[in-house]
Amino acid sequence: MNSIFEYFADIFHTVKSLLTGMKVTGRYFFSPGEIVTQQYPENRKTLKMYDRFKGEVIMPHNDHNEHRCTGCGICETACPNGTIEIIQARIDMPDGKKKRIIDKHIYHLGMCTFCGLCIKACPSDALAWGQEFEHAVFDRSKLTKTLNQPGSSIIKDIVE
Amino acid sequence: MKEVINLPVKNIEEEEYHINMGPQHPSTHGVLRLVVSLQGEIVKSLKPHCGYIHRGIEKMCEKDTYPQIIHLTDRMDYLSAHINNHAVCLLVENALEVEVPERVKYIRTIIDELNRIASHQLWWCSFGMDMGGLTCYFYGLRDREKILDIFEESFGSRLLHSYYTPGGLMMDIHPNFQANVKAFIKYFRKKIKDYDDLLTGNVIMQLRTKGVGILSREDAISYGVTGPSGRASGFACDVRKHHPYGVYDKVDFKEIMGTKGDTFERYMMRMNEMHESMKIIEQLIDNIPAGDYSAKMKAVIKLPAGEYYQRVEASRGELGVYCISDGNKTPYRMKFRSPNFSNLSALDHISRGVKIADLVAIGGSLDYVIPDIDR
Ligand code: SF4
Ligand code: SF4
């Protein structure tokens, strides 16, 4: 007698537990307001990343094509994996001294691990995070970027 | 006349044979290869083959300075990236005897717990999927997305954050952080009921997990199985409780313990831990003291020569960092005691004699992350 009772109790519990689970899926099925999918490529125009989003390392330039980089090379040392290469140039100052400036600030995006150490280490705040994240390219060499724009110069009041 | 060769007739049912599970198997959660020796459907023994994703992180640490090591630890157990970072930061801070601001300790504890919830959510997704319930995967990921959004707004990245630095944090938390976390806790308290309805109470899941893959307390200790998997066997190994770091000594939380040590118990440990983590966050989130987000550190960090060890409770168990310094700015040797490696070593022991389908469930309940095993 007891075992028959248990048998039916088992069936009851099984059906009940399965229905409980189905209730959850059913609820979401009939409440499309809870849809959370992002329509990514379609919403490109309106998509805005968070301010702190780490898309890539950039060097902000002002309207006069000026940046804050002195070419000191601290970011190159801070980077754990050799992503940054600093190529310096020397120019003659009017007073006869030679001054070191940045020639090329080369950034290998393909090697960057987005750790943020370069940005933190830079003494003159020349680097920042960019919001761009669609980095896929057909040729790997396109991932090597020069961060200081051609013809750019340093903002006057930056001192090392 | 043709000669007749009598091949010995083998009895298929009694013969042992080996199959490869992985390295590309969806339920090994990564590139892990298990050579399973089977007799019929019964697992006789099992040999894990590691190393498919070995990157030599320990060796790479020897050429990196201490702040640079942080970003490598992200890539071990990527699901508890913050907690891994915490281990190295604590090691450096304790070695230099730096007092980090109270604010930093609070923030780190909150973020560690958020990270633990996110990790357990993903485990729940994939455990459900291992058991054949694909729906779980979507619901779990949907809720994990909320935490990742908080992370993304505050630290800029979703998985590999490198947010802690020796001495403090990279930057202060985002102004919206506290409100977002509180909103998440409110949201997740409601949604976690779905988890129980969908999977915990499900008869099929219970029958497949109860009494399967039993790990006794003695074995848990001798294999060094820690974290939720170890606690399911009754091994009190919560580092947060027994060797508190951060502000864990100031908050009130239970060390979730089990007794049976079977797959279902390991499952329940993590479900209950999510509740505990939410409790910890609730106690801290409104009380973050004002102050600096980083202690003053020297530009070049050099540890005094000697040996150091630091452990933290990662979401899968005890993560230990052992460091030998010879006084330079890079460590002489860095060794990580990763929880997943020890947990995996018990897999052979607990899955002997179970059906091959249960092996998937047992593996899911141990919740291994392969990059942490191989490092
Ligand atoms: S973010 Fe890190 S890896 Fe990338 S360039 Fe800066 S220091 Fe190097
Ligand atoms: S970006 Fe900053 S750290 Fe790097 S060379 Fe320029 S000034 Fe120096």
Side-chain angles (χ1 to χ4, degrees):
Chain A
M1 196 58 213
N2 232 355
S3 63
I4 291 180
F5 178 72
E6 268 173 24
Y7 178 75
F8 282 108
D10 268 357
I11 292 181
F12 176 74
H13 282 308
T14 311
V15 173
K16 192 175 154 226
S17 87
L18 294 183
L19 284 180
T20 323
M22 277 201 233
K23 204 177 79 201
V24 177
T25 44
R27 197 174 73 230
Y28 287 114
F29 186 72
F30 287 110
S31 53
E34 304 228 14
I35 289 176
V36 288
T37 323
Q38 268 204 29
Q39 305 295 333
Y40 161 58
E42 287 83 19
N43 71 354
R44 246 193 208 144
K45 291 226 165 56
T46 52
L47 184 66
K48 190 173 175 323
M49 306 312 286
Y50 293 114
D51 300 341
R52 292 184 178 181
F53 179 71
K54 299 181 187 175
E56 59 179 338
V57 175
I58 54 167
M59 185 181 286
H61 285 59
N62 67 6
D63 297 340
H64 308 293
N65 200 14
E66 287 172 335
H67 55 74
R68 302 175 65 89
C69 177
T70 56
C72 63
I74 290 177
C75 53
E76 190 181 14
T77 348
C79 181
N81 43 31
T83 305
I84 294 177
E85 276 174 58
I86 303 289
I87 298 175
Q88 294 168 338
R90 291 191 183 270
I91 49 165
D92 292 319
M93 295 299 280
D95 56 359
K97 282 192 193 137
K98 281 195 186 283
K99 188 174 183 282
R100 182 192 63 197
I101 56 156
I102 185 86
D103 182 19
K104 274 186 183 145
H105 189 296
I106 297 171
Y107 169 60
H108 301 275
L109 176 60
M111 282 157 70
C112 180
T113 51
F114 304 97
C115 64
L117 289 175
C118 53
I119 295 175
K120 191 162 180 269
C122 177
S124 48
D125 286 334
L127 299 174
W129 285 116
Q131 311 269 305
E132 183 59 46
F133 62 93
E134 290 167 332
H135 291 311
V137 283
F138 283 105
D139 185 0
R140 202 190 307 171
S141 64
K142 291 206 179 91
L143 290 175
T144 300
K145 305 183 178 189
T146 308
L147 292 189
N148 55 332
Q149 287 165 11
S152 62
S153 58
I154 185 168
I155 297 176
K156 289 279 164 335
D157 55 349
I158 303 286
V159 278
E160 273 175 54
Chain B
M1 217 176 81
K2 245 189 185 168
E3 205 182 323
V4 180
I5 308 165
N6 275 329
L7 283 171
V9 181
K10 284 183 185 166
N11 188 346
I12 294 265
E13 273 170 26
E14 278 171 18
E15 198 191 342
E16 247 181 59
Y17 61 102
H18 302 276
I19 58 163
N20 267 318
M21 198 167 141
Q24 304 291 348
H25 190 281
S27 77
T28 55
H29 304 180
V31 275
L32 173 69
R33 175 170 156 229
L34 300 172
V35 179
V36 190
S37 165
L38 291 170
Q39 192 174 52
E41 248 193 308
I42 311 284
V43 176
K44 282 284 157 201
S45 68
L46 165 160
K47 252 196 219 113
H49 284 242
C50 311
Y52 285 90
I53 192 161
H54 177 72
R55 290 147 296 169
I57 285 186
E58 287 175 6
K59 192 71 191 166
M60 278 156 85
C61 288
E62 290 170 18
K63 74 149 192 38
D64 279 353
T65 62
Y66 293 98
Q68 288 176 345
I69 286 171
I70 304 283
H71 92 290
L72 289 173
T73 59
D74 273 349
R75 284 150 179 87
M76 295 188 328
D77 182 352
Y78 49 82
L79 293 176
S80 42
H82 280 303
I83 310 178
N84 297 350
N85 294 354
H86 204 163
V88 179
C89 291
L90 282 174
L91 180 115
V92 175
E93 285 152 14
N94 290 347
L96 293 175
E97 293 170 5
V98 188
E99 187 57 42
V100 296
E102 220 32 31
R103 181 180 176 80
V104 174
K105 287 188 190 167
Y106 271 72
I107 295 174
R108 279 182 182 176
T109 313
I110 292 169
I111 292 171
D112 278 6
E113 290 310 310
L114 273 180
N115 208 175
R116 195 181 315 278
I117 296 178
S119 161
H120 286 348
Q121 281 169 337
L122 189 76
W123 155 82
W124 184 79
C125 307
S126 50
F127 187 71
M129 194 178 67
D130 289 346
M131 306 286 294
L134 194 63
T135 324
C136 304
Y137 207 88
F138 301 122
Y139 292 166
L141 281 190
R142 173 199 64 194
D143 300 338
R144 179 167 172 264
E145 193 65 23
K146 303 267 176 206
I147 297 188
L148 296 192
D149 271 347
I150 297 176
F151 283 175
E152 193 180 343
E153 182 169 24
S154 229
F155 333 125
S157 52
R158 301 163 65 79
L159 197 64
L160 309 169
H161 313 282
S162 313
Y163 179 56
Y164 302 166
T165 53
L169 309 167
M170 272 279 182
M171 52 204 151
D172 210 347
I173 47 171
H174 196 274
N176 296 344
F177 180 76
Q178 275 158 297
N180 284 346
V181 171
K182 273 189 270 186
F184 167 75
I185 301 273
K186 217 170 133 220
Y187 166 87
F188 191 51
R189 278 255 151 80
K190 266 194 262 145
K191 294 291 179 193
I192 200 166
K193 293 203 185 75
D194 284 358
Y195 289 27
D196 288 336
D197 286 347
L198 261 180
L199 199 60
T200 317
N202 189 298
V203 170
I204 303 168
M205 184 282 200
Q206 292 202 354
L207 288 178
R208 277 188 64 183
T209 53
K210 279 190 177 163
V212 175
I214 295 175
L215 178 69
S216 69
R217 184 167 177 272
E218 287 69 39
D219 289 335
I221 293 173
S222 53
Y223 279 107
V225 178
T226 49
S229 314
R231 289 195 284 281
S233 309
F235 172 26
C237 55
D238 198 332
V239 182
R240 295 175 290 169
K241 203 85 188 167
H242 301 289
H243 305 275
Y245 54 94
V247 283
Y248 284 116
D249 45 352
K250 290 193 190 132
V251 289
D252 165 44
F253 69 104
K254 272 209 308 281
E255 180 178 11
I256 308 283
M257 295 285 289
T259 45
K260 298 193 202 78
D262 58 358
T263 309
F264 188 70
E265 200 91 345
R266 285 192 284 276
Y267 172 88
M268 282 319 285
M269 289 302 106
R270 296 198 174 85
M271 294 305 279
N272 293 334
E273 256 187 27
M274 284 199 259
H275 287 285
E276 286 306 307
S277 296
M278 284 196 278
K279 238 169 72 188
I280 296 176
I281 296 172
E282 272 179 337
Q283 290 171 44
L284 297 177
I285 191 74
D286 281 324
N287 307 326
I288 303 179
D292 258 346
Y293 62 85
S294 181
K296 273 262 166 295
M297 297 294 276
K298 290 210 189 81
V300 178
I301 298 175
K302 286 183 180 169
L303 297 200
E307 297 179 17
Y308 306 95
Y309 187 72
Q310 176 66 45
R311 49 183 169 178
V312 294
E313 179 75 16
S315 37
R316 282 163 193 74
E318 177 184 323
L319 171 75
V321 185
Y322 173 66
C323 170
I324 303 178
S325 167
D326 51 4
N328 279 331
K329 60 180 185 184
T330 58
Y332 174 74
R333 171 84 169 100
M334 201 87 175
K335 156 98 183 112
F336 296 101
R337 182 254 183 235
S338 68
N340 292 288
F341 187 71
S342 318
N343 292 4
L344 176 73
S345 66
L347 184 64
D348 173 40
H349 175 72
I350 58 180
S351 54
R352 283 192 185 195
V354 302
K355 297 257 168 38
I356 179 97
D358 290 335
L359 174 63
V360 174
I362 293 173
S365 74
L366 283 179
D367 188 20
Y368 36 66
V369 163
I370 315 302
D372 193 32
I373 295 172
D374 291 343
R375 297 194 288 291

